[in-house]
Amino acid sequence: MFILRCILNHAETSPFAAPFFDPSTSLYHLFFQWNPYLNDWGNDTLAIAWGHATSANLIDWTFDEQPALAPNEPYDFKGVFTGGFIPSTLPKPGPASDLEPSAPLVLAYTSVKAGGVTFKEPYNLGTETISLAHSYDRGMTWQKYESNPIVDGAPSNNVTGWRDPYISYWPAVDRLLGRSDNSGLYALISGGFRDQGPTTFLYKIDPNDLTSWEYISPLIDIQSNSRSGRWTGDVGKNWECVNRMTLRDPDSELEREFFIISAEGTENINSTSTTETGSNSSMVTRTPRYQLWMAGTLSTTNQTTVTFAPLASGLFDHGNLYAANSFRHPVTGKLLAYGWIQEEDLPDEIRAEQGWSG
């Protein structure tokens, strides 16, 4: 687990997005939701953008001074929310240059065009969509895809949220759906169903056309705020930033699916923290949410839906880590996770004085 502090002046950083390693440049790329103007979350006039940082060693980071993706289109002017990196098959218009790679780097992100995207209020269908951005200079600059958005919204208006695409190859789902070449791309989009429970929605992506997404099914059926044990943390009402990995026992064929889950709307949480400023001490209310892990198995019905059955779960972090994202290193094979440390415990005057937050 690596945790990165935002060191840009007067900036607020929050959920991490689309981390990846580019073997052609030996650079790690990390994106984060960013308010470049204030050390507070963006609002209607200062919507959240994507910041960008690169590193050769995961320790020393270079930050771009300008947003990599700004909320400047009708479909995302209320915010560029979390997304993921995906293998590229998007063609570039016009003839290719010898100085450019044959295929771009591609990002998928949640494009937000209006309010009504929290689990506490009725969902405004179509306010959250999926859009793409690509880079032909190995991640130095990014351009939004001209045909955005490529997915128009959630499969139902009875959801609590629908955002944060995480994209990966997933051989276990390929096998369930009758594919034998292990080349299928799949996306998890986090959210939940109102008055039912949180979930993550499974989509199949055409690897030859990244604009073609097919909805398969919700991946899990679980009751809001349920918990399987004392130390597991409750699952909340809505999920965000769900990402995954498959682990296999090297001595057998036993395989388990693991999910890293950001659960909001939780109960039974230590929601206060003592903050001391000089001689004063006060209790600060924390947002009720957990960072969880969940392990289980997959099954299918008639090769048309895919269901995840949890067998074990627990707290991924016992502090205030949230919105963790991960990627599998293409060289080492290791799964690396990044998380956001919230600074709700700091009074406004302290965050203003230090000039950054998160």
Side-chain angles (χ1 to χ4, degrees):
M1 168 94 48
F2 295 89
I3 300 176
L4 178 69
R5 188 187 75 181
C6 182
I7 58 175
L8 297 168
N9 289 334
H10 305 297
E12 196 275 348
T13 181
S14 47
F16 289 108
F20 69 93
F21 177 76
D22 185 357
S24 69
T25 59
S26 297
L27 285 178
Y28 297 90
H29 292 258
L30 186 66
F31 298 86
F32 49 93
Q33 289 183 274
W34 179 33
N35 181 346
Y37 305 105
L38 297 172
N39 57 11
D40 291 303
W41 181 256
N43 53 34
D44 286 347
T45 57
L46 296 172
I48 288 295
W50 269 25
H52 179 220
T54 55
S55 173
N57 58 12
L58 293 173
I59 298 172
D60 304 297
W61 292 87
T62 299
F63 290 85
D64 294 347
E65 293 185 0
Q66 299 298 321
L69 296 174
N72 54 15
E73 297 291 343
Y75 55 82
D76 65 13
F77 80 105
K78 291 296 186 181
V80 178
F81 283 11
T82 302
F85 171 74
I86 51 181
S88 167
T89 55
L90 277 175
K92 182 183 180 184
S97 167
D98 292 338
L99 299 178
E100 295 170 338
S102 58
L105 303 173
V106 182
L107 305 172
Y109 69 94
T110 310
S111 39
V112 184
K113 67 178 182 182
V117 295
T118 75
F119 70 92
K120 297 179 180 179
E121 57 188 330
Y123 190 79
N124 191 353
L125 187 63
T127 60
E128 292 178 303
T129 57
I130 303 300
S131 294
L132 301 181
H134 50 267
S135 171
Y136 283 90
D137 55 13
R138 309 314 301 176
M140 299 296 291
T141 60
W142 295 87
Q143 299 80 43
K144 296 175 184 178
Y145 188 57
E146 61 182 10
S147 297
N148 281 341
I150 54 108
V151 185
D152 290 332
S156 164
N157 63 359
N158 191 38
V159 300
T160 51
W162 185 85
R163 52 186 167 269
D164 311 335
Y166 176 85
I167 299 97
S168 65
Y169 292 102
W170 202 346
V173 175
D174 273 342
R175 294 192 297 269
L176 287 174
L177 298 181
R179 296 180 61 101
S180 59
D181 56 1
N182 291 337
S183 64
L185 274 175
Y186 297 92
L188 297 176
I189 299 183
S190 304
F193 288 109
R194 191 164 303 281
D195 300 323
Q196 296 180 43
T199 193
T200 181
F201 302 93
L202 179 64
Y203 285 76
K204 180 181 178 181
I205 304 173
D206 184 346
N208 297 312
D209 180 4
L210 297 185
T211 68
S212 177
W213 292 41
E214 176 188 350
Y215 176 54
I216 296 176
S217 62
L219 202 57
I220 188 171
D221 182 7
I222 195 168
Q223 184 179 355
S224 293
N225 300 118
S226 61
R227 56 192 300 157
S228 57
R230 179 181 179 184
W231 303 110
T232 61
D234 89 66
V235 299
K237 291 181 172 64
N238 186 72
W239 284 353
E240 301 181 292
C241 299
V242 176
N243 49 108
R244 55 154 297 274
M245 58 183 166
T246 302
L247 294 184
R248 175 177 293 177
D249 183 347
D251 298 322
S252 70
E253 294 299 314
L254 183 64
E255 198 173 74
R256 290 289 183 265
E257 302 297 329
F258 279 76
F259 293 90
I260 301 171
I261 298 164
S262 300
E264 62 174 355
T266 60
E267 298 173 348
N268 306 314
I269 189 170
N270 181 13
S271 59
T272 59
S273 174
T274 301
T275 298
E276 296 185 3
T277 305
S279 59
N280 297 323
S281 178
S282 60
M283 299 300 291
V284 178
T285 300
R286 287 180 175 173
T287 303
R289 49 194 174 196
Y290 279 129
Q291 189 70 62
L292 308 175
W293 64 267
M294 194 171 288
T297 58
L298 299 174
S299 61
T300 184
T301 303
N302 300 325
Q303 292 186 337
T304 57
T305 63
V306 178
T307 301
F308 172 75
L311 300 174
S313 63
L315 293 173
F316 191 79
D317 178 79
H318 286 263
N320 64 346
L321 184 77
Y322 190 72
N325 216 322
S326 68
F327 74 101
R328 189 170 295 281
H329 198 291
V331 178
T332 67
K334 293 182 179 179
L335 191 83
L336 304 179
Y338 292 79
W340 168 38
I341 293 293
Q342 307 163 74
E343 295 196 283
E344 296 173 304
D345 294 6
L346 289 182
D348 289 342
E349 60 269 21
I350 298 295
R351 292 191 293 115
E353 179 179 350
Q354 72 181 12
W356 53 267
S357 176

